[in-house]
PDB file of all heavy atoms in Angstrom:
ATOM      1  N   ARG A1359     -38.536 -24.121  66.072  1.00  0.00           N
ATOM      2  CA  ARG A1359     -38.575 -23.203  64.936  1.00  0.00           C
ATOM      3  C   ARG A1359     -39.989 -22.988  64.431  1.00  0.00           C
ATOM      4  O   ARG A1359     -40.306 -21.937  63.922  1.00  0.00           O
ATOM      5  CB  ARG A1359     -37.717 -23.768  63.796  1.00  0.00           C
ATOM      6  CG  ARG A1359     -36.389 -23.089  63.690  1.00  0.00           C
ATOM      7  CD  ARG A1359     -35.697 -23.444  62.403  1.00  0.00           C
ATOM      8  NE  ARG A1359     -36.369 -22.925  61.233  1.00  0.00           N
ATOM      9  CZ  ARG A1359     -36.178 -23.429  60.013  1.00  0.00           C
ATOM     10  NH1 ARG A1359     -35.377 -24.449  59.833  1.00  0.00           N
ATOM     11  NH2 ARG A1359     -36.793 -22.911  58.986  1.00  0.00           N
ATOM     12  N   TYR A1360     -40.814 -24.025  64.548  1.00  0.00           N
ATOM     13  CA  TYR A1360     -42.151 -23.902  63.995  1.00  0.00           C
ATOM     14  C   TYR A1360     -43.196 -23.766  65.081  1.00  0.00           C
ATOM     15  O   TYR A1360     -44.319 -24.198  64.924  1.00  0.00           O
ATOM     16  CB  TYR A1360     -42.452 -25.085  63.072  1.00  0.00           C
ATOM     17  CG  TYR A1360     -41.566 -25.080  61.867  1.00  0.00           C
ATOM     18  CD1 TYR A1360     -40.631 -26.069  61.661  1.00  0.00           C
ATOM     19  CD2 TYR A1360     -41.644 -24.033  60.949  1.00  0.00           C
ATOM     20  CE1 TYR A1360     -39.792 -26.032  60.561  1.00  0.00           C
ATOM     21  CE2 TYR A1360     -40.816 -23.996  59.852  1.00  0.00           C
ATOM     22  CZ  TYR A1360     -39.889 -24.995  59.659  1.00  0.00           C
ATOM     23  OH  TYR A1360     -39.061 -24.955  58.573  1.00  0.00           O
ATOM     24  N   LEU A1389     -54.202 -20.428  52.288  1.00  0.00           N
ATOM     25  CA  LEU A1389     -53.728 -19.423  53.243  1.00  0.00           C
ATOM     26  C   LEU A1389     -53.327 -18.166  52.484  1.00  0.00           C
ATOM     27  O   LEU A1389     -52.491 -18.215  51.578  1.00  0.00           O
ATOM     28  CB  LEU A1389     -52.528 -19.967  54.022  1.00  0.00           C
ATOM     29  CG  LEU A1389     -52.825 -21.170  54.915  1.00  0.00           C
ATOM     30  CD1 LEU A1389     -51.537 -21.811  55.416  1.00  0.00           C
ATOM     31  CD2 LEU A1389     -53.704 -20.754  56.089  1.00  0.00           C
ATOM     32  N   GLY A1396     -46.992 -15.563  58.593  1.00  0.00           N
ATOM     33  CA  GLY A1396     -47.078 -16.856  59.267  1.00  0.00           C
ATOM     34  C   GLY A1396     -47.816 -17.929  58.491  1.00  0.00           C
ATOM     35  O   GLY A1396     -48.312 -18.888  59.073  1.00  0.00           O
ATOM     36  N   LYS A1397     -47.849 -17.816  57.161  1.00  0.00           N
ATOM     37  CA  LYS A1397     -48.597 -18.793  56.364  1.00  0.00           C
ATOM     38  C   LYS A1397     -48.000 -20.202  56.492  1.00  0.00           C
ATOM     39  O   LYS A1397     -48.711 -21.172  56.694  1.00  0.00           O
ATOM     40  CB  LYS A1397     -48.624 -18.361  54.884  1.00  0.00           C
ATOM     41  CG  LYS A1397     -49.369 -17.040  54.676  1.00  0.00           C
ATOM     42  CD  LYS A1397     -49.510 -16.689  53.212  1.00  0.00           C
ATOM     43  CE  LYS A1397     -48.195 -16.345  52.528  1.00  0.00           C
ATOM     44  NZ  LYS A1397     -47.528 -15.123  53.052  1.00  0.00           N
ATOM     45  N   GLU A1398     -46.685 -20.279  56.394  1.00  0.00           N
ATOM     46  CA  GLU A1398     -46.071 -21.602  56.488  1.00  0.00           C
ATOM     47  C   GLU A1398     -46.261 -22.188  57.887  1.00  0.00           C
ATOM     48  O   GLU A1398     -46.519 -23.376  58.054  1.00  0.00           O
ATOM     49  CB  GLU A1398     -44.584 -21.526  56.145  1.00  0.00           C
ATOM     50  CG  GLU A1398     -43.919 -22.866  56.329  1.00  0.00           C
ATOM     51  CD  GLU A1398     -42.607 -23.035  55.581  1.00  0.00           C
ATOM     52  OE1 GLU A1398     -42.183 -22.081  54.894  1.00  0.00           O
ATOM     53  OE2 GLU A1398     -42.032 -24.127  55.687  1.00  0.00           O
ATOM     54  N   LEU A1399     -46.149 -21.318  58.872  1.00  0.00           N
ATOM     55  CA  LEU A1399     -46.339 -21.760  60.250  1.00  0.00           C
ATOM     56  C   LEU A1399     -47.746 -22.331  60.447  1.00  0.00           C
ATOM     57  O   LEU A1399     -47.932 -23.368  61.093  1.00  0.00           O
ATOM     58  CB  LEU A1399     -46.140 -20.547  61.157  1.00  0.00           C
ATOM     59  CG  LEU A1399     -45.491 -20.778  62.490  1.00  0.00           C
ATOM     60  CD1 LEU A1399     -44.176 -21.477  62.327  1.00  0.00           C
ATOM     61  CD2 LEU A1399     -45.313 -19.471  63.208  1.00  0.00           C
ATOM     62  N   PHE A1400     -48.724 -21.655  59.871  1.00  0.00           N
ATOM     63  CA  PHE A1400     -50.105 -22.137  59.962  1.00  0.00           C
ATOM     64  C   PHE A1400     -50.261 -23.470  59.234  1.00  0.00           C
ATOM     65  O   PHE A1400     -50.950 -24.369  59.718  1.00  0.00           O
ATOM     66  CB  PHE A1400     -51.075 -21.108  59.363  1.00  0.00           C
ATOM     67  CG  PHE A1400     -51.773 -20.295  60.413  1.00  0.00           C
ATOM     68  CD1 PHE A1400     -51.114 -19.275  61.068  1.00  0.00           C
ATOM     69  CD2 PHE A1400     -53.081 -20.577  60.775  1.00  0.00           C
ATOM     70  CE1 PHE A1400     -51.740 -18.541  62.057  1.00  0.00           C
ATOM     71  CE2 PHE A1400     -53.718 -19.854  61.767  1.00  0.00           C
ATOM     72  CZ  PHE A1400     -53.058 -18.823  62.402  1.00  0.00           C
ATOM     73  N   ALA A1401     -49.629 -23.565  58.068  1.00  0.00           N
ATOM     74  CA  ALA A1401     -49.739 -24.816  57.309  1.00  0.00           C
ATOM     75  C   ALA A1401     -49.227 -25.980  58.150  1.00  0.00           C
ATOM     76  O   ALA A1401     -49.850 -27.030  58.244  1.00  0.00           O
ATOM     77  CB  ALA A1401     -48.953 -24.696  56.002  1.00  0.00           C
ATOM     78  N   ARG A1402     -48.080 -25.765  58.793  1.00  0.00           N
ATOM     79  CA  ARG A1402     -47.519 -26.830  59.629  1.00  0.00           C
ATOM     80  C   ARG A1402     -48.401 -27.119  60.836  1.00  0.00           C
ATOM     81  O   ARG A1402     -48.565 -28.269  61.243  1.00  0.00           O
ATOM     82  CB  ARG A1402     -46.117 -26.452  60.110  1.00  0.00           C
ATOM     83  CG  ARG A1402     -45.108 -26.544  59.014  1.00  0.00           C
ATOM     84  CD  ARG A1402     -43.715 -26.182  59.490  1.00  0.00           C
ATOM     85  NE  ARG A1402     -42.837 -26.060  58.359  1.00  0.00           N
ATOM     86  CZ  ARG A1402     -42.140 -27.069  57.844  1.00  0.00           C
ATOM     87  NH1 ARG A1402     -42.203 -28.263  58.387  1.00  0.00           N
ATOM     88  NH2 ARG A1402     -41.378 -26.884  56.790  1.00  0.00           N
ATOM     89  N   ALA A1403     -48.951 -26.056  61.401  1.00  0.00           N
ATOM     90  CA  ALA A1403     -49.818 -26.252  62.571  1.00  0.00           C
ATOM     91  C   ALA A1403     -51.042 -27.071  62.174  1.00  0.00           C
ATOM     92  O   ALA A1403     -51.441 -27.998  62.890  1.00  0.00           O
ATOM     93  CB  ALA A1403     -50.226 -24.901  63.147  1.00  0.00           C
ATOM     94  N   PHE A1415     -45.047 -34.080  56.069  1.00  0.00           N
ATOM     95  CA  PHE A1415     -45.458 -32.733  55.662  1.00  0.00           C
ATOM     96  C   PHE A1415     -44.434 -32.318  54.615  1.00  0.00           C
ATOM     97  O   PHE A1415     -43.252 -32.189  54.914  1.00  0.00           O
ATOM     98  CB  PHE A1415     -45.422 -31.776  56.853  1.00  0.00           C
ATOM     99  CG  PHE A1415     -45.700 -30.341  56.490  1.00  0.00           C
ATOM    100  CD1 PHE A1415     -46.985 -29.840  56.524  1.00  0.00           C
ATOM    101  CD2 PHE A1415     -44.661 -29.489  56.103  1.00  0.00           C
ATOM    102  CE1 PHE A1415     -47.251 -28.516  56.193  1.00  0.00           C
ATOM    103  CE2 PHE A1415     -44.915 -28.162  55.762  1.00  0.00           C
ATOM    104  CZ  PHE A1415     -46.216 -27.684  55.820  1.00  0.00           C
ATOM    105  N   ALA A1417     -43.280 -29.591  51.802  1.00  0.00           N
ATOM    106  CA  ALA A1417     -43.474 -28.229  51.303  1.00  0.00           C
ATOM    107  C   ALA A1417     -42.828 -28.089  49.929  1.00  0.00           C
ATOM    108  O   ALA A1417     -41.723 -28.575  49.696  1.00  0.00           O
ATOM    109  CB  ALA A1417     -42.854 -27.229  52.270  1.00  0.00           C
ATOM    110  N   PHE A1460     -47.771 -28.941  51.038  1.00  0.00           N
ATOM    111  CA  PHE A1460     -47.899 -27.495  51.169  1.00  0.00           C
ATOM    112  C   PHE A1460     -47.378 -26.839  49.890  1.00  0.00           C
ATOM    113  O   PHE A1460     -46.181 -26.880  49.606  1.00  0.00           O
ATOM    114  CB  PHE A1460     -47.109 -27.027  52.390  1.00  0.00           C
ATOM    115  CG  PHE A1460     -47.119 -25.533  52.577  1.00  0.00           C
ATOM    116  CD1 PHE A1460     -48.312 -24.812  52.539  1.00  0.00           C
ATOM    117  CD2 PHE A1460     -45.930 -24.843  52.808  1.00  0.00           C
ATOM    118  CE1 PHE A1460     -48.320 -23.433  52.720  1.00  0.00           C
ATOM    119  CE2 PHE A1460     -45.938 -23.465  52.994  1.00  0.00           C
ATOM    120  CZ  PHE A1460     -47.137 -22.765  52.948  1.00  0.00           C
ATOM    121  N   ASP A1462     -46.465 -23.708  48.291  1.00  0.00           N
ATOM    122  CA  ASP A1462     -46.181 -22.336  48.697  1.00  0.00           C
ATOM    123  C   ASP A1462     -46.062 -21.443  47.458  1.00  0.00           C
ATOM    124  O   ASP A1462     -45.550 -21.877  46.428  1.00  0.00           O
ATOM    125  CB  ASP A1462     -44.873 -22.323  49.494  1.00  0.00           C
ATOM    126  CG  ASP A1462     -44.831 -21.150  50.452  1.00  0.00           C
ATOM    127  OD1 ASP A1462     -45.804 -20.368  50.473  1.00  0.00           O
ATOM    128  OD2 ASP A1462     -43.827 -21.014  51.163  1.00  0.00           O
ATOM    129  N   ALA A1502     -50.636 -21.658  49.638  1.00  0.00           N
ATOM    130  CA  ALA A1502     -50.460 -20.322  50.205  1.00  0.00           C
ATOM    131  C   ALA A1502     -50.019 -19.354  49.128  1.00  0.00           C
ATOM    132  O   ALA A1502     -49.368 -19.742  48.148  1.00  0.00           O
ATOM    133  CB  ALA A1502     -49.411 -20.359  51.321  1.00  0.00           C
ATOM    134  N   LEU A1531     -54.587 -14.368  56.766  1.00  0.00           N
ATOM    135  CA  LEU A1531     -53.798 -13.941  57.924  1.00  0.00           C
ATOM    136  C   LEU A1531     -53.582 -12.433  57.834  1.00  0.00           C
ATOM    137  O   LEU A1531     -52.971 -11.955  56.883  1.00  0.00           O
ATOM    138  CB  LEU A1531     -52.461 -14.673  57.943  1.00  0.00           C
ATOM    139  CG  LEU A1531     -52.558 -16.192  57.974  1.00  0.00           C
ATOM    140  CD1 LEU A1531     -51.185 -16.828  58.057  1.00  0.00           C
ATOM    141  CD2 LEU A1531     -53.402 -16.650  59.145  1.00  0.00           C
TER     142      LEU A1531
END
Side-chain angles (χ1 to χ4, degrees):
R1359 257 192 67 200
Y1360 295 114
L1389 296 168
K1397 296 186 292 296
E1398 176 160 0
L1399 215 54
F1400 259 76
R1402 286 181 190 271
F1415 174 91
F1460 177 49
D1462 206 359
L1531 302 183

